[in-house]
């Protein structure tokens, strides 16, 4: 093990057997380990029979601890950075420490491990060629609304992390902003109850408000359709609404969804649908 090095070590996201032999060797031979939650990491170390000094490094102390950790590394010690699950610095603590090491010229090496968002994308059945990882949405209603509005026209597949207790509200916000899209809800990756649910935003928002899901959740959402809204005329938008209505939506729901996709006002689409209905009755 090289002295004076920070090792970024990926840890299992569920199944402890996913910890690589190289990761085990790294954890076994570094001088100390910087951990998001020392209690969680201690369980991992005990599983592999590793005894090592642990230093906590989590969201609320990372800035101060980075100074201490960097000083020890500069003094010739080697450190492994781990989080509770997955790769450090990816929607987890570690970003500040790695940046501090970069500024101070400290050698930093990676020992790759499982990453939940990439695994979920592979399981989703949605396009994987281009995607955007958006992490966790803000708990602030204003911030999350702004975040989602920025992504409304995003054509790449989008990936979010979400906590189970916030999932119903998030699914409603996603449907309200994006309209009807395909979504894969991937939960409990590599664990006993691993599940990939492939559905649509409207169906997910309805079902999982009444039937809450449990566990670690990744949302993989289809990007915006390629057609430009400018291509729609009111008549084409009404035709789209008619197809949606034929699939089971009410006239009002179909008009609302067609308005989201086309940019044509809902009222105008609704009027055209009503006019068509009156014409059919004559």
């Amino acid at each position: 093990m090289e002295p004076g090095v920070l090792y970024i070590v990926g840890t299992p996201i569920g199944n402890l057997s996913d910890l690589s032999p190289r990761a085990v060797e790294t954890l076994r031979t570094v001088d100390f380990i910087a951990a998001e939650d020392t209690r969680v990491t201690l369980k991992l170390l005990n599983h592999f029979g590793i005894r090592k000094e642990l230093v906590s490094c989590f969201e609320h102390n990372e800035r101060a601890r980075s100074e201490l950790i960097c000083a020890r590394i500069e003094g010739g010690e080697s450190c492994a950075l781990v989080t509770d699950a997955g790769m450090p610095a990816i929607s987890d603590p570690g970003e500040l420490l790695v940046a501090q090491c970069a500024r101070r010229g400290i050698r930093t090496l990676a020992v790759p491990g499982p990453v939940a968002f990439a695994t979920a994308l592979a399981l989703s059945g949605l396009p994987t060629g281009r995607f955007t990882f958006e992490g966790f949405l803000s708990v602030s209603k204003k911030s999350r609304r702004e975040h989602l509005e920025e992504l409304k026209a995003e054509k790449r597949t989008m990936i979010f992390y979400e906590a189970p207790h916030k999932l119903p509200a998030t699914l409603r916000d996603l449907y309200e902003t994006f309209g009807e899209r395909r979504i894969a809800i991937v939960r409990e990756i590599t664990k006993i109850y691993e599940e990939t649910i492939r559905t649509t935003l409207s169906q997910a928002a309805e079902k999982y408000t009444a039937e809450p899901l449990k566990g670690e959740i990744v949302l993989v959402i289809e990007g915006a359709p390629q057609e430009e809204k400018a291509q729609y005329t009111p008549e084409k938008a009404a035709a789209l609404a008619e197809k949606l209505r034929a699939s089971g939506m009410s006239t009002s729901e179909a008009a609302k969804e067609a308005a989201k996709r086309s940019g044509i006002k809902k009222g105008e689409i609704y009027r055209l649908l009503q006019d068509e209905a009156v014409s059919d009755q004559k």
Side-chain angles (χ1 to χ4, degrees):
M1 191 59 52
E2 292 185 45
V5 174
L6 174 71
Y7 292 89
I8 306 172
V9 182
T11 55
I13 55 179
N15 192 321
L16 294 183
S17 298
D18 290 337
L19 190 68
S20 72
R22 182 179 169 221
V24 172
E25 181 64 17
T26 300
L27 296 176
R28 197 184 303 279
T29 55
V30 292
D31 293 299
F32 68 102
I33 298 170
E36 177 183 6
D37 187 328
T38 56
R39 295 165 299 181
V40 173
T41 300
L42 184 59
K43 292 178 183 178
L44 177 67
L45 297 182
N46 287 341
H47 180 82
F48 289 96
I50 299 170
R51 297 178 65 86
K52 194 64 56 176
E53 177 191 354
L54 292 171
V55 174
S56 69
C57 182
F58 58 96
E59 181 183 0
H60 300 296
N61 77 351
E62 185 177 356
R63 193 173 299 278
R65 283 297 165 88
S66 293
E67 290 290 335
L68 171 65
I69 293 167
C70 285
R72 291 184 63 173
I73 295 173
E74 288 171 333
E77 294 185 83
S78 58
C79 173
L81 170 65
V82 300
T83 53
D84 294 349
M87 283 299 292
I90 307 297
S91 282
D92 265 336
E95 180 181 351
L96 293 177
L97 175 57
V98 174
Q100 180 82 306
C101 287
R103 284 193 294 269
R104 295 166 75 146
I106 293 174
R107 182 167 164 77
T108 306
L109 299 175
V111 182
V115 180
F117 78 80
T119 307
L121 176 64
L123 288 167
S124 70
L126 293 171
T128 62
R130 298 182 66 205
F131 63 91
T132 173
F133 173 58
E134 298 297 323
F136 286 97
L137 288 165
S138 172
V139 294
S140 161
K141 289 184 179 180
K142 181 176 182 294
S143 295
R144 67 194 279 120
R145 187 72 65 167
E146 290 174 352
H147 187 169
L148 292 177
E149 283 294 331
E150 290 175 359
L151 294 170
K152 199 169 184 178
E154 175 60 67
K155 292 181 172 56
R156 294 171 294 180
T157 301
M158 295 171 286
I159 309 172
F160 299 86
Y161 287 163
E162 192 52 281
H165 68 280
K166 295 194 296 183
L167 182 64
T170 294
L171 289 172
R172 290 193 295 270
D173 287 345
L174 288 168
Y175 176 55
E176 179 68 27
T177 306
F178 296 153
E180 191 68 296
R181 306 268 186 93
R182 289 182 294 164
I183 179 175
I185 303 173
V186 189
R187 56 184 290 271
E188 294 293 87
I189 297 173
T190 77
K191 299 176 184 177
I192 294 175
Y193 298 106
E194 178 178 325
E195 182 180 24
T196 300
I197 303 165
R198 301 179 182 91
T199 182
T200 64
L201 281 177
S202 64
Q203 292 172 341
E206 180 179 356
K207 182 173 183 179
Y208 298 112
T209 295
E211 304 172 21
L213 290 171
K214 296 180 180 180
E216 302 291 332
I217 293 171
V218 184
L219 305 176
V220 187
I221 302 167
E222 180 179 30
Q226 293 299 315
E227 65 267 26
E228 296 294 331
K229 290 183 177 180
Q231 295 176 344
Y232 277 95
T233 62
E235 290 72 23
K236 287 184 178 180
L240 171 61
E242 185 57 45
K243 288 181 181 179
L244 294 171
R245 188 164 63 174
S247 70
M249 286 188 180
S250 68
T251 300
S252 179
E253 290 172 335
K256 182 179 180 180
E257 179 59 29
K260 287 181 181 178
R261 296 191 193 183
S262 66
I264 305 298
K265 290 182 178 180
K266 175 188 173 181
E268 187 169 4
I269 296 172
Y270 189 87
R271 180 182 58 77
L272 287 170
L273 289 175
Q274 292 294 87
D275 290 346
E276 184 177 337
V278 171
S279 178
D280 290 342
Q281 292 173 5
K282 292 181 179 179

